[in-house]
Amino acid sequence: MESFNQFLLSLDGLLGSAAWFPYVLLGVGLFFTLYLGFPQIRYFKHAWLVVTGKLDRKGAPGDTTHFQALTTALSGTVGTGNIGGVAFAIFLGGPAALFWMWATAFLGMTTKFVEVTLSHKYRVKTEDGTMAGGPMYYMDRRLNMKWLAVAFAIATVISSFGTGNLPQINNIAQGMQATFGLEPMLTGGVLAVLLALVILGGIHRIAKVTSRIVPFMSVLYVIGALAVIFYNYENIGPAFASVISDAFTGSAAAGGFLGATIAYAFNRGVNRGLFSNEAGQGSAPIAHAAAKADEPVSEGMVSILEPFIDTIIICTLTGLVILSSGVWKEKFDNEFERADMVILAGQYSEQNDEDRHQLFLYLNNEKAHSVETFNGKIEVVSGKAVSRNFTIINSRSIAEDVLFSVDAKEDLFTGTLNVKDGRLLKDNILVSGKSLVHSAQLTTLAFTRGFFGEYGKYIVSIGLLLFAFSTAIAWSYYGDRAMTYLLGPRSVMPYRVFYVAGFFWASFSDTTLVWNLAAVAIVVMTLPNLFGIMVLHKEMKQTVNEYWRDFKDKQANKDQA
């Protein structure tokens, strides 16, 4: 299993985490932005008219309204990435990461417009009378590349578990345990039942639930975020200034106290932007294909609003909460995760410029450094290290007040610890102390620095619960449409049963393998989709022109009447 995990990590390094991937993603968005004449700006107002139903035509084929399709797609994108993902991006790349998330969202508005329009255009009505659409249908019906469509659909099923299901409930369960002391299995059991009640009702019930959850959770989160931002109002201007300036100069404060290069911040920001708004991934078009519309372009325009709401509004609020509160540069007491911790040979100090420079090179994967990992023994008495020939780095910062415990934090360890290549060999040793923190934990701490004080952390916990649960709902629909394409409508019910079972299991299990598998599957979805819409770029432009011509004719006839 470990070797397979390493294989997935290596494969992801060649694909989604590779240096070239952000350029492909942004390149396609930039091409269509220029080719279609900045539709994310020109059609923005029209998109709001469509989503409010003011331009609806009675009897249009479909299963959901424009608003329900939008909220279903948003429930799939507005998730843990908006809370923990933004925090992780800023932790790694500093304020500049938020700038590149904006860039990804701006160009992604056009990418999503294109992918949704083409997917809606080639949707089909299934044997059970419901609509089914998505990139696999235009790949099959228009490009005649069934093999590509099958690969995309399989990747969608894998991603439905790997990004929309297992990690979501895992995050929920951990958050509920940390905040309210609830056992993960209990949380998983209750929410698995609720999930089953929703998704077994199909797209109609899914759309009704998401159209209520998404507005509520968004308003709640926005109120909590503004309570922090305005509490720290004096830091709003400097926060925005650092986002812009660091994007072009690099950040001395990013990546822990060590700083981050421009390229590193760019990569982190673009990747988190994709994971947040999913523009180009091809998932959201599956939800929009169910919308009641006889004009594919009208639904494409609705999708323009998704990256704007998801990234430019919600992710920006999260970023400003973290930056204005200042918690991203502070050290907190926490238990060190083995994945975030490395033990280095020698003693390093934050006050020493040369030490900082060498650690900067090491943690930013630059080759010209003299840092070596520690190999040897650490003598510990009553939880504290006696030997001083090493430095513990946790979450890209030098750890302070470090304690070694056995299984429980109160059971202080005494004895000898063996270290190889910077890693502890004893699995039952807990390491705690002060260091930087990241992901949802960082956002939670930031939310306590506002008008609500310590109660702010409950907004994050409830937000995580609602965001992650709604994401699981939306991705169940993406998966069942992919199964419909692969094996027909009869395969949907078995898929839903496995989906709910996996949801429960992941509440108390390690989902690292699934995360790594999904990271690869996301790229297998994204690259074929980007390829497909590029091939159909002329058809896209023609379809948009025809829409506007027909729309103007209808408006003229309406005025004459």
Side-chain angles (χ1 to χ4, degrees):
M1 188 67 70
E2 183 63 29
S3 59
F4 183 58
N5 218 354
Q6 290 299 320
F7 168 74
L8 291 175
L9 286 171
S10 300
L11 192 58
D12 179 53
L14 297 172
L15 298 173
S17 296
W20 56 266
F21 183 68
Y23 293 98
V24 173
L25 186 68
L26 292 183
V28 172
L30 179 61
F31 168 78
F32 276 109
T33 294
L34 299 176
Y35 184 67
L36 299 177
F38 290 86
Q40 66 270 66
I41 297 175
R42 293 167 56 210
Y43 306 154
F44 190 76
K45 181 180 178 180
H46 190 80
W48 284 108
L49 292 175
V50 175
V51 80
T52 56
K54 293 181 179 180
L55 303 179
D56 283 358
R57 184 183 69 81
K58 290 184 179 180
D63 305 316
T64 64
T65 65
H66 290 294
F67 179 73
Q68 288 175 331
L70 174 64
T71 54
T72 299
L74 275 173
S75 68
T77 60
V78 179
T80 55
N82 297 79
I83 296 177
V86 177
F88 192 57
I90 291 176
F91 166 77
L92 290 176
L98 187 58
F99 176 87
W100 294 116
M101 291 183 76
W102 292 343
T104 305
F106 180 74
L107 298 178
M109 291 166 75
T110 300
T111 305
K112 190 157 283 195
F113 170 55
V114 175
E115 63 181 349
V116 168
T117 298
L118 292 173
S119 294
H120 196 282
K121 184 176 182 178
Y122 291 100
R123 65 179 180 169
V124 299
K125 180 172 283 189
T126 64
E127 298 171 19
D128 60 9
T130 59
M131 288 294 183
M136 56 274 198
Y137 285 95
Y138 79 70
M139 291 173 185
D140 187 341
R141 302 180 65 206
R142 177 65 179 86
L143 296 178
N144 296 316
M145 294 182 177
K146 189 172 181 65
W147 63 272
L148 191 64
V150 169
F152 178 89
I154 293 173
T156 302
V157 174
I158 295 173
S159 290
S160 73
F161 283 93
T163 61
N165 182 328
L166 309 185
Q168 302 299 332
I169 183 58
N170 196 266
N171 283 330
I172 293 174
Q174 290 179 7
M176 292 298 103
Q177 185 179 39
T179 306
F180 302 106
L182 296 176
E183 285 297 319
M185 189 174 291
L186 175 62
T187 301
V190 172
L191 291 182
V193 172
L194 293 177
L195 179 67
L197 291 175
V198 174
I199 70 174
L200 293 178
I203 184 57
H204 296 289
R205 191 176 300 168
I206 289 173
K208 287 181 180 178
V209 172
T210 56
S211 65
R212 288 168 173 79
I213 289 180
V214 170
F216 172 75
M217 71 183 189
S218 299
V219 170
L220 175 68
Y221 191 74
V222 167
I223 292 173
L226 292 177
V228 177
I229 294 169
F230 287 117
Y231 185 83
N232 301 282
Y233 66 91
E234 71 279 3
N235 295 329
I236 297 175
F240 271 112
S242 64
V243 170
I244 304 299
S245 63
D246 288 2
F248 302 99
T249 62
S251 174
F257 67 89
L258 300 166
T261 61
I262 297 175
Y264 196 74
F266 169 74
N267 189 279
R268 295 301 94 193
V270 172
N271 274 291
R272 294 319 309 179
L274 169 62
F275 294 145
S276 178
N277 59 55
E278 298 177 10
Q281 186 176 338
S283 51
I286 299 174
H288 285 283
K292 296 176 180 177
D294 46 16
E295 293 285 355
V297 175
S298 66
E299 191 57 32
M301 289 186 179
V302 171
S303 69
I304 286 176
L305 304 176
E306 280 175 40
F308 178 80
I309 295 171
D310 174 271
T311 305
I312 295 180
I313 293 181
I314 298 180
C315 287
T316 297
L317 287 174
T318 301
L320 288 178
V321 165
I322 292 168
L323 296 175
S324 65
S325 65
V327 296
W328 65 293
K329 295 187 289 186
E330 296 181 27
K331 294 183 180 181
F332 296 90
D333 285 314
N334 66 104
E335 289 187 8
F336 301 166
E337 296 287 341
R338 293 295 177 92
D340 289 336
M341 185 180 74
V342 63
I343 304 175
L344 303 179
Q347 285 190 297
Y348 290 87
S349 170
E350 296 179 26
Q351 282 68 48
N352 186 296
D353 290 340
E354 180 59 24
D355 286 354
R356 288 168 58 90
H357 177 64
Q358 290 300 323
L359 291 172
F360 172 89
L361 296 175
Y362 170 72
L363 290 178
N364 282 285
N365 299 314
E366 301 287 339
K367 294 181 180 179
H369 66 78
S370 59
V371 178
E372 295 182 359
T373 55
F374 182 76
N375 286 281
K377 301 179 184 297
I378 297 176
E379 298 297 330
V380 180
V381 177
S382 298
K384 295 184 178 181
V386 178
S387 50
R388 300 294 180 185
N389 58 336
F390 66 91
T391 300
I392 295 180
I393 299 291
N394 186 67
S395 296
R396 298 174 65 86
S397 61
I398 294 178
E400 301 173 2
D401 302 333
V402 177
L403 286 177
F404 298 90
S405 309
V406 182
D407 294 326
K409 195 172 182 179
E410 298 77 18
D411 187 9
L412 297 178
F413 175 77
T414 295
T416 302
L417 293 174
N418 293 313
V419 180
K420 184 177 181 180
D421 297 328
R423 305 293 177 183
L424 286 177
L425 297 183
K426 273 183 174 289
D427 292 333
N428 66 330
I429 296 297
L430 298 180
V431 186
S432 60
K434 288 185 176 180
S435 74
L436 297 179
V437 297
H438 60 77
S439 301
Q441 186 180 7
L442 180 59
T443 307
T444 301
L445 288 166
F447 266 71
T448 64
R449 300 288 180 88
F451 290 111
F452 296 127
E454 289 297 315
Y455 293 103
K457 66 183 180 182
Y458 297 113
I459 294 177
V460 179
S461 296
I462 295 171
L464 273 173
L465 169 64
L466 295 177
F467 283 13
F469 185 67
S470 65
T471 297
I473 292 174
W475 271 93
S476 73
Y477 180 68
Y478 299 161
D480 87 33
R481 294 298 88 179
M483 289 298 298
T484 298
Y485 174 79
L486 292 169
L487 301 173
R490 292 183 180 180
S491 66
V492 170
M493 188 56 69
Y495 164 80
R496 290 173 179 168
V497 172
F498 276 107
Y499 194 84
V500 172
F503 190 77
F504 171 66
W505 169 78
S507 65
F508 53 87
S509 302
D510 180 12
T511 55
T512 302
L513 177 64
V514 182
W515 264 115
N516 293 335
L517 184 61
V520 175
I522 287 172
V523 183
V524 177
M525 291 177 67
T526 304
L527 292 179
N529 183 49
L530 295 179
F531 166 77
I533 63 177
M534 285 297 293
V535 172
L536 298 176
H537 67 279
K538 291 183 179 179
E539 179 175 335
M540 177 64 195
K541 192 168 190 176
Q542 181 182 353
T543 303
V544 173
N545 291 338
E546 290 174 354
Y547 171 81
W548 282 118
R549 185 171 59 250
D550 293 344
F551 178 78
K552 290 176 181 178
D553 289 344
K554 290 176 183 178
Q555 290 297 107
N557 293 334
K558 186 178 180 181
D559 292 339
Q560 291 177 1

